[in-house]
Amino acid sequence: MIRGEQLSKQFGDVMALSPTDIHIREGAITAIMGGSGSGKTTLLRLLAGLEKPTSGHIWYGDEDLCAISDRRLYQLREQMGMLFQYSALLNSLNVYDNVAFPLHEHTDLDESVIRTMVMMKLEQVGLRGFEHLMPSELSGGMAKRVAFARAIAMDPRIVFFDEPTSGLDPISAGVITTLIADTSRKNRMTSIVVTHDVGAGLSIADHVILLWQGRIIAEGPPQSIRDSDDERVQQFLEGRPDGPIPFSRSTTSYIDDLTHKPGTVRMKS
Amino acid sequence: MMVFGRLGRMTLRGIEQFGDATMLALQALALMFRRPWQGKHFVLQLYALGVGSLAIIIITGAFTGMVLALQGYYTLAKFGSESLLGAGVGMSIIRELGPVLGAFMVIGRAGSSITAEIGIMRVTEQTDALEMMAVNPKQRIILPRIVAVTLALPLLVSLFDVVGIGAGYLVGVDLLGVNPGAYMAELIAKIGMHDMYGGWVKTVVFGFLIGVICTYMGYRAEPTTEGVAKATTQAVVIASVSVLIIDYVLTSFFL
Amino acid sequence: MQNYKRIEITVGLFVVIGLLAISWLAVKVGQVGGLGASGYVLTADFDDVGGVRKGSDIMMAGVIIGRVDGVKLVNSDHASMALRINNGVKIAEDAFASVRTKGIIGDRYIRITQGTEESYLEPGDEIEETESAINIEDLISKYIFNGKE
């Protein structure tokens, strides 16, 4: 139901995403995985309409996200949620108002109803009783859970997760991963999860897309990714430094750099 | 040759930024007439920017009036025209110092905070979060700030004027012994509505300028901590210089 | 929301104080004519107004009793002036208007010397007797050449 057609994005001279076709299935969890700099966050931001593609189209049903009016875009977004990598809580509002924000903005519900809904979401993320804290008073893990509660506050049909577990302790990461899986299944949500957490990605996803240097190198259900005989895929899954994906990004000779051969190291004069 | 190349690039960049800022402001202002109304956020900004600048405006207004009275008295006393002190103080404050110093104070107090706040919202993806929650950041963040500064500055500067004239009265009359009747009478006689209009037009233009520059610098700041710091400094410098340049242009119109 | 109410009230107060400052400046210092301007208008013709402008003071017995509303040239040879006199100030039909200077190099103003008639001028009437600005050069030449004529 969400389709990217020959999507590409260029930042200056850097090709962050080479022309890519992508298909996101409705009601399923799609994990977009890859190392840092592989273009996965760029792809997510393109799909969410936060970034305009250099070329290509993004189809939501039969509407092209790049061609519709702002008004229609915002209408579509009322049914979307997004969990940002650094939570992106509005720092002038406390926890309660952050979670209630989309409800205050887009519904005419009575405050008591909103209160009940916010409490339910906070209970889901285990933070009931913390409504009055300000974002600056929260730990990273707590902020992310609040952001999760906010992302699903409107019971959206599509939720984007940008690195939901990065920077979290194992327990918080596990809780967030379980929350994504549970709420997606329960609410028949379309979830798009960008992560470099291989275990989490493979365990909850129905469909996995593996990116490397702005290209899709593998795609399919988790089992097919695990069974892939592509060296690059295996290297990524196992986290080995040696393989077709070079760990070192340096292009000059290590020996030359160490021995200060002229012409190799540019010294500041 | 290097110098000319750099100068040319800087000019081009300046023109590009000017166009970009104008577009951003126009886009935001066009959203003024579109639902949802941002009245509540306008009031909140009026509070943060207007009420927040009140103290500094009163303090600077008072000391400006006082120093003008002190300095003016010694100059006028040489010609035996101390009675013109009120007119001198009032004229300087209403036509020039009120709008310009008031604008400077608001740039320092409110303008820098606008840039820093919006810049931080960009860095921490809060503007993207708004975007994803179907709230237009231009309408929610930029618009109320531009409108609030544009409307707050005339109010603040009028207050600056009144406080300055009052403080000048205290120094001139109570401290230096100028005739109290003469101070007010000459002030009233020499200053006409014409001078007022000049001052007010300036404040509205300055307010708008501050709003546009400071929101733009924040919104287009490089989304890093250094980027925001740099943008905040630049916003203060660019806004202050623009105020002085526009002040000259407007003064030449209103003389 | 309680908080927002308080902010709203504070902002309201701020706006009221600001508007008070604006109106004080306009009414007290700027002497804005108010809506529709108070007072009534008399006219007077002068051969030479010597630079009196809109807004110049009108004084009687050294007290400001109004302001000049406008000056225009009539028939390409003399000036006609609209004088806005404060309400309550009555001017006799034989009153006398002259252009004077405050001090030697000060502002020009209009001085009205009260007449002796019992009947007073109505709004729109003209002050018949006027004296033009005293031109110091004329005065001196008159003094010098007076004896010869």
Side-chain angles (χ1 to χ4, degrees):
Chain A
M1 97 189 224
I2 307 177
R3 270 187 317 116
E5 194 181 294
Q6 288 299 300
L7 269 186
S8 77
K9 181 71 186 178
Q10 204 169 349
F11 292 107
D13 296 333
V14 184
M15 201 68 179
L17 188 71
S18 304
T20 303
D21 285 320
I22 186 170
H23 189 94
I24 307 287
R25 268 183 299 160
E26 193 165 352
I29 302 177
T30 304
I32 302 175
M33 297 201 290
S36 39
S38 60
K40 54 190 192 309
T41 297
T42 304
L43 179 57
L44 188 78
R45 291 176 62 87
L46 286 173
L47 291 175
L50 286 174
E51 212 88 63
K52 288 251 174 281
T54 309
S55 73
H57 303 277
I58 301 149
W59 298 98
Y60 274 70
D62 52 4
E63 287 175 287
D64 184 353
L65 206 60
C66 314
I68 58 177
S69 68
D70 272 6
R71 195 177 296 217
R72 178 71 188 136
L73 179 63
Y74 286 123
Q75 264 173 19
L76 285 176
R77 280 196 177 138
E78 288 185 26
Q79 297 172 7
M80 296 184 201
M82 185 156 179
L83 175 62
F84 288 85
Q85 184 169 2
Y86 301 108
S87 307
L89 296 175
L90 301 174
N91 53 17
S92 54
L93 303 178
N94 63 20
V95 167
Y96 175 86
D97 286 327
N98 259 292
V99 178
F101 187 87
L103 298 165
H104 281 144
E105 288 298 322
H106 300 299
T107 67
D108 295 323
L109 296 174
D110 202 64
E111 191 59 37
S112 62
V113 181
I114 292 183
R115 179 152 209 98
T116 314
M117 292 171 77
V118 171
M119 285 306 154
M120 282 164 63
K121 302 297 176 197
L122 283 176
E123 173 66 26
Q124 263 185 301
V125 298
L127 286 177
R128 202 168 32 79
F130 291 84
E131 303 91 76
H132 299 296
L133 290 187
M134 297 304 285
S136 56
E137 299 167 306
L138 300 174
S139 71
M142 281 161 83
K144 217 140 192 176
R145 279 145 80 176
V146 174
F148 183 93
R150 182 181 68 177
I152 58 167
M154 295 275 283
D155 291 322
R157 285 171 48 217
I158 308 161
V159 185
F160 300 91
F161 298 92
D162 189 6
E163 302 283 12
T165 57
S166 77
L168 296 187
D169 64 89
I171 298 175
S172 304
V175 168
I176 291 278
T177 311
T178 319
L179 274 173
I180 293 173
D182 287 355
T183 36
S184 299
R185 305 259 183 273
K186 211 157 50 190
N187 303 349
R188 309 195 121 275
M189 244 160 45
T190 305
S191 296
I192 303 159
V193 187
V194 155
T195 182
H196 51 233
D197 184 338
V198 174
L202 290 180
S203 65
I204 60 168
D206 300 304
H207 190 78
V208 176
I209 294 170
L210 206 58
L211 284 176
W212 181 59
Q213 291 193 344
R215 284 170 213 287
I216 295 180
I217 56 167
E219 191 175 355
Q223 198 51 48
S224 77
I225 299 289
R226 281 199 198 90
D227 297 342
S228 166
D229 47 13
D230 188 323
E231 269 295 306
R232 295 170 301 184
V233 176
Q234 286 307 324
Q235 188 197 349
F236 180 74
L237 294 188
E238 290 163 27
R240 277 184 281 119
D242 302 310
I245 304 175
F247 166 69
S248 169
R249 300 293 180 91
S250 312
T251 51
T252 51
S253 155
Y254 188 33
I255 298 291
D256 285 353
D257 280 357
L258 284 180
T259 52
H260 303 289
K261 280 265 176 65
T264 52
V265 180
R266 255 170 282 150
M267 306 264 256
K268 273 191 181 161
S269 49
Chain B
M1 285 309 276
M2 285 275 282
V3 179
F4 289 113
R6 264 189 68 177
L7 208 67
R9 272 194 296 280
M10 270 169 62
T11 315
L12 279 180
R13 170 123 185 78
I15 292 170
E16 186 193 323
Q17 282 193 317
F18 181 77
D20 197 15
T22 312
M23 283 307 296
L24 188 68
L26 288 179
Q27 281 173 6
L29 289 175
L31 292 167
M32 196 191 305
F33 309 102
R34 200 184 291 174
R35 283 174 179 281
W37 312 125
Q38 304 296 324
K40 184 183 158 185
H41 298 274
F42 166 68
V43 171
L44 287 174
Q45 288 311 314
L46 214 49
Y47 180 77
L49 308 175
V51 179
S53 306
L54 210 52
I56 190 144
I57 284 288
I58 288 173
I59 293 170
T60 44
F63 278 94
T64 306
M66 282 157 69
V67 77
L68 278 178
L70 206 56
Q71 188 64 56
Y73 178 82
Y74 285 109
T75 313
L76 289 170
K78 289 190 176 137
F79 306 104
S81 328
E82 298 97 311
S83 61
L84 288 175
L85 186 65
V89 170
M91 194 75 109
S92 319
I93 287 188
I94 288 169
R95 293 194 58 133
E96 265 315 309
L97 293 173
V100 172
L101 286 182
F104 281 178
M105 291 304 136
V106 169
I107 289 171
R109 170 66 177 71
S112 59
S113 81
I114 291 176
T115 307
E117 190 187 12
I118 296 179
I120 287 168
M121 292 188 81
R122 300 283 297 171
V123 175
T124 55
E125 294 184 309
Q126 289 180 59
T127 42
D128 287 335
L130 285 177
E131 191 72 64
M132 285 311 291
M133 291 188 285
V135 172
N136 189 336
K138 285 173 193 154
Q139 190 174 20
R140 171 60 54 86
I141 304 294
I142 295 184
L143 172 66
R145 282 167 175 76
I146 294 181
V147 178
V149 182
T150 311
L151 291 185
L153 196 63
L155 298 177
L156 288 168
V157 167
S158 300
L159 219 61
F160 183 109
D161 293 351
V162 172
V163 171
I165 290 170
Y169 182 93
L170 286 182
V171 169
V173 173
D174 293 343
L175 216 63
L176 302 169
V178 172
N179 181 295
Y183 184 94
M184 279 320 285
E186 283 300 325
L187 183 100
I188 291 165
K190 290 286 184 302
I191 299 172
M193 229 19 226
H194 166 79
D195 301 297
M196 295 299 171
Y197 287 135
W200 284 325
V201 168
K202 277 182 181 180
T203 59
V204 173
V205 174
F206 292 170
F208 182 70
L209 208 62
I210 294 170
V212 170
I213 292 174
C214 292
T215 50
Y216 169 77
M217 293 305 287
Y219 203 73
R220 288 280 188 264
E222 196 195 320
T224 60
T225 39
E226 304 91 73
V228 174
K230 210 171 114 196
T232 308
T233 317
Q234 278 181 342
V236 170
V237 172
I238 295 175
S240 306
V241 172
S242 310
V243 160
L244 285 177
I245 294 173
I246 299 295
D247 183 50
Y248 180 81
V249 175
L250 288 180
T251 306
S252 61
F253 272 134
F254 283 109
L255 267 183
Chain C
M1 287 303 100
Q2 196 74 44
N3 219 0
Y4 180 67
K5 265 266 149 353
R6 223 185 60 220
I7 288 174
E8 233 173 9
I9 293 166
T10 318
V11 168
L13 273 173
F14 165 67
V15 173
V16 167
I17 293 172
L19 288 177
L20 278 177
I22 290 181
S23 16
W24 185 79
L25 288 171
V27 174
K28 179 82 185 175
V29 179
Q31 299 275 296
V32 68
L35 298 170
S38 60
Y40 63 98
V41 175
L42 299 178
T43 60
D45 285 0
F46 292 87
D47 288 333
D48 182 355
V49 294
V52 167
R53 289 181 294 185
K54 182 179 179 190
S56 293
D57 289 335
I58 301 168
M59 291 188 175
M60 179 182 282
V63 178
I64 296 177
I65 57 162
R67 277 171 179 256
V68 174
D69 235 16
V71 183
K72 60 174 191 280
L73 190 64
V74 183
N75 296 336
S76 302
D77 67 349
H78 70 281
S80 170
M81 197 182 284
L83 307 171
R84 183 170 293 278
I85 308 294
N86 294 347
N87 285 329
V89 177
K90 290 178 177 172
I91 293 172
E93 276 181 344
D94 61 342
F96 176 77
S98 54
V99 177
R100 292 301 175 99
T101 308
K102 294 178 189 166
I104 296 176
I105 51 164
D107 275 1
R108 301 279 183 161
Y109 70 99
I110 300 295
R111 184 165 88 178
I112 295 179
T113 312
Q114 190 60 286
T116 50
E117 293 259 350
E118 289 287 312
S119 53
Y120 297 104
L121 289 168
E122 296 289 316
D125 285 355
E126 186 184 343
I127 300 179
E128 301 279 348
E129 275 195 84
T130 63
E131 183 187 50
S132 292
I134 297 166
N135 190 321
I136 295 195
E137 284 166 42
D138 286 352
L139 207 67
I140 293 171
S141 55
K142 214 187 227 170
Y143 178 75
I144 293 173
F145 300 116
N146 221 4
K148 290 184 181 172
E149 283 172 350

